[in-house]
Each structure stands twice: as structure tokens, then as C-alpha cells.
Amino acid sequence: MAPKARSKARHGSELSTEQEAEIKDAFDLFDTDASGVIDAKELKVALRALGFEPKKEELKKLLSRLDESSNSQGQMMLEYHEFLRIMTFKMHEKDSKEQIQRAFELIRGPSGQICFEDLKRTVNEMGAPWGHEELEEMFSYADTNGNGFVDKEEFVRIIQRY
């Protein structure tokens, strides 16, 4: 029987078998004594090993979600299931950003940014039922610098918010 191409992580999101293997390999690099736990301080290095560049605040946020398990020296320890949950979240977050960037590339016009007409054309092609006023409101909300265009950063920010 062939192995499953995908399996479910604890919170219901799916990873490919290859992604799960990468995550397990990264965890095992830091679990040198094969105890099934790693020092939470190693999370930043493990994230980098998997191609992420976490900021200090992001690490604090990720670690604050963990169980308060620690070893006898009071160091916060990370079990594999917790590590897998964090990495699954990060991989899906990365996929989402890539999809948003691809969407921007499809919508943007010759200027390299999105103008109102680009938005209107895309909405019409999709058959969305939004009227002219609704589109103007959406566009002006996304155009945070008021230059009449939505650049990639504005687009990503507005899409991630909703």
C-alpha cells in the first residue's frame, strides 16, 4: 500500500508528507538526546533552517501559545507536537502570502500597481455583484497613501486583514 500523500496535523490543516519529513528532520537536529523535546530557545534557529526569518515579536507570540512545560533548570521546552503545530502554521502562512502575491500580479495593470480600473475589470471578470460605489469605497480603503494606486504592500496588508 502506498503512503498517504497528505496527512492531517492536530488542528486540521494539511501538510504534504515531504513537508512533515522536513519538519521532523529540523526537530531531530535539535533533539540531540532523542528525548522528544527541544529547548524553546532553539525555535528561531529551527525556523531559519526551514527557510523562515522570524522577528523577535513573532517568536514571543508563537512561544506564548505553548504549554508552559519546562525542564528542571526552568528552561521552556518544546515537544514535537508543539513544534509541528508552529511549523504547520508558518508553512500555511507562507503559502497564503504567496497566493496573495500571485493575485496581485494577476490584478495589477501596466503601471505595476492596481488602479481603480484594474480592480473594476477584475471584479467584472469574476462576476462579483459589487456596484461602482462599493468598489470605490474598497479601493479608497486599500489605497492607504492616497496616490490613486494600490501597491503590493497595501494589497497584501488589506488582504491579510480580511
Side-chain angles (χ1 to χ4, degrees):
M1 186 161 124
K4 286 187 201 177
R6 297 187 163 280
S7 65
K8 292 214 178 217
R10 263 177 58 157
H11 57 74
S13 296
E14 293 185 12
L15 291 176
S16 69
T17 303
E18 182 180 302
Q19 288 172 317
E20 281 189 21
E22 282 180 44
I23 291 170
K24 180 69 171 136
D25 288 345
F27 184 85
D28 289 345
L29 280 173
F30 299 101
D31 184 17
T32 54
D33 63 355
S35 64
V37 295
I38 62 172
D39 187 329
K41 292 179 193 173
E42 303 292 345
L43 181 59
K44 182 177 183 178
V45 180
L47 282 163
R48 284 190 172 160
L50 289 167
F52 300 101
E53 289 296 325
K55 293 183 172 87
K56 196 175 205 174
E57 288 303 312
E58 181 182 11
L59 285 171
K60 285 181 183 177
K61 187 175 175 182
L62 289 170
L63 291 173
S64 71
R65 297 177 183 168
L66 299 177
D67 298 335
E68 289 296 323
S69 55
S70 58
N71 66 9
S72 59
Q73 289 84 33
Q75 295 171 303
M76 188 176 218
M77 303 303 287
L78 196 59
E79 294 178 6
Y80 176 71
H81 71 90
E82 295 167 319
F83 184 75
L84 178 62
R85 187 173 62 209
I86 289 170
M87 292 303 172
T88 300
F89 171 78
K90 292 299 294 173
M91 288 184 162
H92 286 291
E93 181 181 67
K94 182 179 178 183
D95 290 346
S96 294
K97 284 181 184 175
E98 289 171 0
Q99 289 173 343
I100 292 169
Q101 289 175 348
R102 279 196 299 269
F104 177 83
E105 297 300 322
L106 291 171
I107 297 170
R108 74 183 174 101
S111 68
Q113 299 178 72
I114 299 172
C115 69
F116 180 76
E117 290 304 315
D118 297 327
L119 176 64
K120 188 175 173 181
R121 174 186 41 81
T122 302
V123 167
N124 286 335
E125 287 173 3
M126 291 173 36
W130 296 319
H132 188 80
E133 284 182 21
E134 290 173 299
L135 291 177
E136 282 182 336
E137 187 177 320
M138 284 191 325
F139 189 82
S140 65
Y141 186 73
D143 181 18
T144 57
N145 63 9
N147 69 352
F149 293 94
V150 175
D151 61 33
K152 189 180 278 189
E153 289 77 29
E154 289 171 320
F155 185 77
V156 169
R157 187 173 40 252
I158 198 75
I159 296 296
Q160 285 181 330
R161 179 176 282 163
Y162 299 98

